[in-house]
Amino acid sequence: MAKQKLKQHHINRDWCKGCGICVHFCPKKVLELDEEDKAVAARPEDCIACKLCELRCPDLAIEIETERSE
Amino acid sequence: MAIRDFLRERFFPHMWCPGCGHGIVLNNMLRAIQTLGMSKNEIAMVSGIGCSSRISGYVDFHTLHTIHGRALAFATGLKMSMPELNVIVPMGDGDALSIGGNHFIHACRRNIAMTALVMNNRIYGMTGGQFSPLSGYGTLATTAPYTNIDHGFDVVDLAISAGATFVARTTTYHAKQMADIIREAIIHDGFSVVEIMTQCPTYFGRKNKLGDASNMMEWMKDITTPVGSKAKEENPDLIERGIFVQKELPEYCSEYNKVIERAMKGRS
């Protein structure tokens, strides 16, 4: 089966309220809150595209765009 | 179809507090609906009053925002007149089991095909953190500053005894399980109840010193266990999550059609 690979984090800064759930539960510590308390992908190269942040975001502000890799 | 297509984006960002679990319920309910491939016109969402009930305003289905505790009564009327609709009734714990307690048990008993989502944050959030019938013994609330002495309902036990034919429990931590269970609940032909344990960091969390939203989700992970697990035998205080009841019984709308046929004695 082809594995999902990260293409890009789409984080809607207008919708994000900075609760930090995505940061807390990211298994690879990819996300951080910036100085405005908005989620940002600080280490996108570590992302395994598990999409746990997308599923648990209460603000529906995160979308993980993926591409297939062999 | 992406889940954003199911949203009324003009109302976003939503009005829930940062970290509120209701947003996670909205998120994964839409994912469940997405996997079912339903069109927006096939779904009606009927809600009552409370933070949880505001969910109906954010979805681009047929929506009814009705009165406190009476969402199931409105939904019953809607379903009887338009049985082809998939009716989803999101309710808070107070809305469903205090103000709407009687409607809840009788809807369970009738087995009318609809999905009741009880978003249980154990507090009345919208009105300032009063204790609800699900707060539980020994918890703190604005109206219970010296601890609550009322024992809480068990939504699952109550729904099973009242006769619901699909009964499940999940939490906002278990987002994938939540989407799977809501999907099963929607396709079930009968009355389905899904209790979703969710966090109110603003009132329940702060009053009971449970930390922020993430800490509360960790806490829900720690106090729950899959239904029928060994851990429950060792620690009876754990709360089981999963599907408890899934059975077939005659559905109310189809039975009512038979009554009409009998009364008409073959006349049209």
Side-chain angles (χ1 to χ4, degrees):
Chain A
M1 203 179 89
K3 236 173 129 181
Q4 294 286 325
K5 190 169 157 263
L6 175 79
K7 199 168 169 200
Q8 206 187 341
H9 289 81
H10 297 281
I11 298 175
N12 186 335
R13 293 180 67 82
D14 293 333
W15 291 10
C16 173
K17 295 195 184 114
C19 66
I21 288 175
C22 56
V23 177
H24 184 93
F25 289 110
C26 176
K28 294 290 172 188
K29 305 282 168 236
V30 171
L31 298 154
E32 275 180 14
L33 294 182
D34 67 8
E35 64 283 354
E36 289 176 9
D37 267 353
K38 305 281 182 188
V40 287
R43 287 167 290 278
E45 64 281 2
D46 293 341
C47 177
I48 52 170
C50 65
K51 300 193 183 184
L52 287 176
C53 53
E54 183 178 319
L55 297 179
R56 293 210 183 102
C57 176
D59 298 318
L60 289 86
I62 305 181
E63 201 182 323
I64 304 298
E65 193 186 340
T66 54
E67 57 192 1
R68 290 193 178 279
S69 71
E70 296 311 316
Chain B
M1 195 180 235
I3 65 159
R4 275 184 80 144
D5 297 331
F6 293 124
L7 294 176
R8 290 174 180 155
E9 292 198 25
R10 63 188 181 280
F11 298 130
F12 274 72
H14 56 54
M15 48 67 75
W16 292 313
C17 300
C20 173
H22 293 349
I24 307 179
V25 178
L26 171 64
N27 190 336
N28 290 282
M29 179 188 72
L30 294 179
R31 285 173 204 279
I33 291 169
Q34 184 190 28
T35 63
L36 289 168
M38 287 175 179
S39 87
K40 296 181 195 176
N41 287 332
E42 292 176 276
I43 302 164
M45 195 168 277
V46 186
S47 66
I49 296 296
C51 292
S52 55
S53 299
R54 293 290 292 264
I55 197 170
S56 66
Y58 295 120
V59 291
D60 199 20
F61 309 133
H62 300 293
T63 57
L64 283 169
H65 195 173
T66 69
I67 54 177
H68 206 2
R70 274 66 180 159
L72 283 170
F74 279 89
T76 302
L78 174 67
K79 181 74 184 177
M80 293 290 287
S81 59
M82 300 186 76
E84 68 277 13
L85 285 177
N86 292 290
V87 180
I88 304 173
V89 189
M91 296 174 286
D93 44 307
D95 194 41
L97 290 146
S98 183
I99 304 95
N102 219 345
H103 294 297
F104 182 81
I105 55 174
H106 289 284
C108 291
R109 178 174 67 87
R110 285 197 187 105
N111 195 35
I112 185 161
M114 58 178 69
T115 307
L117 304 177
V118 181
M119 297 151 75
N120 176 12
N121 59 8
R122 305 175 66 184
I123 203 93
Y124 287 96
M126 185 169 275
T127 47
Q130 294 82 2
F131 65 84
S132 87
L134 287 153
S135 293
Y137 181 84
T139 52
L140 292 163
T142 315
T143 45
Y146 305 106
T147 74
N148 180 20
I149 56 168
D150 287 11
H151 295 277
F153 272 132
D154 182 319
V155 185
V156 165
D157 286 351
L158 183 71
I160 294 172
S161 346
T165 49
F166 182 101
V167 183
R169 179 190 284 125
T170 183
T171 84
T172 49
Y173 175 83
H174 304 92
K176 275 189 179 158
Q177 184 195 37
M178 187 203 305
D180 293 344
I181 285 180
I182 294 177
R183 183 194 148 90
E184 289 290 311
I186 292 173
I187 52 182
H188 177 72
D189 188 29
F191 191 76
S192 23
V193 177
V194 182
E195 178 192 3
I196 304 159
M197 295 167 63
T198 168
Q199 71 274 15
C200 174
T202 305
Y203 287 109
F204 194 82
R206 197 161 54 189
K207 282 277 172 199
N208 291 284
K209 299 195 169 45
L210 292 168
D212 65 8
S214 314
N215 299 136
M216 291 183 80
M217 288 168 74
E218 293 272 5
W219 170 67
M220 287 191 283
K221 178 181 80 169
D222 295 341
I223 61 167
T224 59
T225 181
V227 61
S229 74
K230 261 225 165 76
K232 174 80 179 171
E233 289 169 26
E234 287 156 21
N235 181 3
D237 290 338
L238 289 174
I239 301 168
E240 288 179 297
R241 58 181 172 82
I243 298 172
F244 295 81
V245 172
Q246 192 169 17
K247 62 180 180 189
E248 298 295 322
L249 275 184
E251 195 274 327
Y252 196 73
C253 295
S254 34
E255 290 304 300
Y256 196 77
N257 277 339
K258 291 181 195 164
V259 170
I260 294 173
E261 274 174 33
R262 283 198 286 276
M264 298 301 284
K265 294 184 181 124
R267 286 167 292 162
S268 58

